[in-house]
Amino acid sequence: MPRTPSTDSLPSTLAIGLQPWINVVETATIGMGEHLSAAAANSSSGIRRRIVPTPLLDHALVQTRMATDILAVALDERRADVERLRADALAALRELIVWLQEAKPNAVTGELGLGW
């Protein structure tokens, strides 16, 4: 199994938002595709609400969601390549973490005292 993506390099606000997505990608089993997609959507939208979007960061979020959704479909269809697709989703999450290291908090995040 590929190594777990680490959120240690991220501000806690982003790490806390991303961790459920990582956890469900790592642990989802056959029949949990809808749960996986919902967790990814929730984490992704939560992160988007906290950052100043850049085109490259937005692209990384979209790519990670796509990799996760492909895994979710495979889980619901009981396809044989689930572990390869899980590895792809985890790789996309690691790449997203790299981009999130560059993220800046948006004004609302700062006003709430959640900035970094």
Side-chain angles (χ1 to χ4, degrees):
M1 164 118 11
R3 69 181 167 83
T4 299
S6 172
T7 58
D8 292 347
S9 61
L10 296 179
S12 62
T13 300
L14 297 179
I16 289 166
L18 191 58
Q19 198 59 54
W21 191 352
I22 294 169
N23 292 346
V24 75
V25 166
E26 289 184 315
T27 61
T29 57
I30 298 299
M32 293 180 65
E34 189 174 328
H35 177 72
L36 175 58
S37 290
N42 188 46
S43 288
S44 176
S45 65
I47 289 168
R48 285 180 192 278
R49 284 193 302 271
R50 296 285 164 240
I51 63 171
V52 175
T54 65
L56 293 174
L57 184 49
D58 185 62
H59 179 73
L61 275 164
V62 168
Q63 292 299 109
T64 306
R65 279 294 309 279
M66 284 185 0
T68 303
D69 288 343
I70 291 168
L71 172 60
V73 169
L75 289 171
D76 282 347
E77 292 181 353
R78 303 176 197 283
R79 291 198 348 223
D81 58 357
V82 166
E83 290 311 312
R84 182 185 61 79
L85 296 173
R86 187 184 315 276
D88 292 348
L90 290 169
L93 280 160
R94 282 191 290 280
E95 181 69 18
L96 175 59
I97 289 167
V98 169
W99 286 105
L100 285 173
Q101 292 172 25
E102 310 277 326
K104 304 290 183 225
N106 63 20
V108 172
T109 300
E111 289 171 11
L112 293 171
L114 300 173
W116 46 93

